[in-house]
Amino acid sequence: MPRVSEAHLAARRQQILDAAARCFVRNGFHQTSMQDVIKEADLSVGAFYRYFKSKNELITAIAGEKISQATGLLDELLAIDPVPPLPEILERLLELVDAAADDDGTVRIAVQVWGEAVHDPEVGALVTEIYGRVRERAVLIAERARTGGQLPPDADVTGAGAAFFGLVQGYILQKVLLGGTDRRTYVSGVRTLLS
């Protein structure tokens, strides 16, 4: 039997993740069954379960993929000396949110996962680990902002980083729940609060 290439395995895995994301966005996490995802991916049951055993594994992979984009951007911004102004960093992060909302709607999955994290310890641990990575970088940004004079010398960088991270989550919630949230207006409001 011929060996399957790594590229083929990666493409098949992505095919499943894309199918799962479409199902979760369209029907919600709880209303989507594994059979729905298998059908959407147009795979056999055996082929599907070779890659993922549960919806939680699918959510973990989708969330990890999206958060990697955010942490990658934050790492790029942390490499700049001095660190860019906080509202500029926020705007760059919110551009990612807007892209996920516009391209495939996967930002809606984030809100579903947050709700599920309250009741499911496995999802809760996932959220703590994945979003913890973003918050850690937000604290590093606050440290750099304090060093660069954007924040007062006695600023609590842990608190400032957590609040900065909360601004991103707040934008996501407003975008998903209220609709019509404009990134430029939101960032302008943050500039006003910071001045």
Side-chain angles (χ1 to χ4, degrees):
M1 181 190 265
R3 238 177 108 77
V4 178
S5 73
E6 288 298 318
H8 175 81
L9 293 172
R12 183 57 51 97
R13 183 178 187 280
Q14 192 60 52
Q15 175 185 351
I16 294 167
L17 290 175
D18 292 344
R22 287 190 302 273
C23 289
F24 294 154
V25 168
R26 184 175 54 239
N27 304 323
F29 181 73
H30 283 292
Q31 300 304 317
T32 298
S33 69
M34 292 296 273
Q35 287 301 320
D36 294 332
V37 178
I38 292 166
K39 182 178 178 184
E40 183 83 18
D42 196 26
L43 294 173
S44 70
V45 172
F48 177 87
Y49 280 105
R50 175 179 185 177
Y51 297 89
F52 298 99
K53 305 291 184 239
S54 68
K55 284 198 292 186
N56 284 358
E57 284 186 16
L58 287 167
I59 284 293
T60 299
I62 292 168
E65 198 174 83
K66 294 299 180 183
I67 293 300
S68 291
Q69 292 173 3
T71 56
L73 173 61
L74 290 172
D75 289 342
E76 280 177 37
L77 295 169
L78 279 164
I80 299 170
D81 192 22
V83 71
L86 294 173
E88 182 181 317
I89 294 171
L90 179 64
E91 182 145 18
R92 296 279 305 275
L93 283 169
L94 299 186
E95 286 172 2
L96 286 179
V97 171
D98 284 350
D102 296 339
D103 293 346
D104 55 13
T106 52
V107 75
R108 298 179 70 79
I109 297 172
V111 177
Q112 295 177 52
V113 170
W114 298 344
E116 187 64 19
V118 174
H119 302 289
D120 182 329
E122 184 180 343
V123 176
L126 159 75
V127 167
T128 298
E129 192 274 322
I130 287 180
Y131 287 99
R133 286 186 267 155
V134 178
R135 191 166 65 183
E136 286 170 6
R137 285 165 174 85
V139 170
L140 291 174
I141 284 172
E143 287 175 359
R144 296 277 308 284
R146 181 177 66 186
T147 301
Q150 292 186 54
L151 295 175
D154 62 344
D156 173 2
V157 294
T158 302
F164 184 81
F165 176 58
L167 290 170
V168 176
Q169 291 174 307
Y171 180 77
I172 290 169
L173 282 173
Q174 289 186 48
K175 188 154 194 75
V176 171
L177 299 178
L178 303 176
T181 305
D182 177 70
R183 180 180 72 244
R184 287 181 180 84
T185 302
Y186 189 87
V187 173
S188 174
V190 170
R191 285 182 201 280
T192 300
L193 289 172
L194 290 176
S195 62

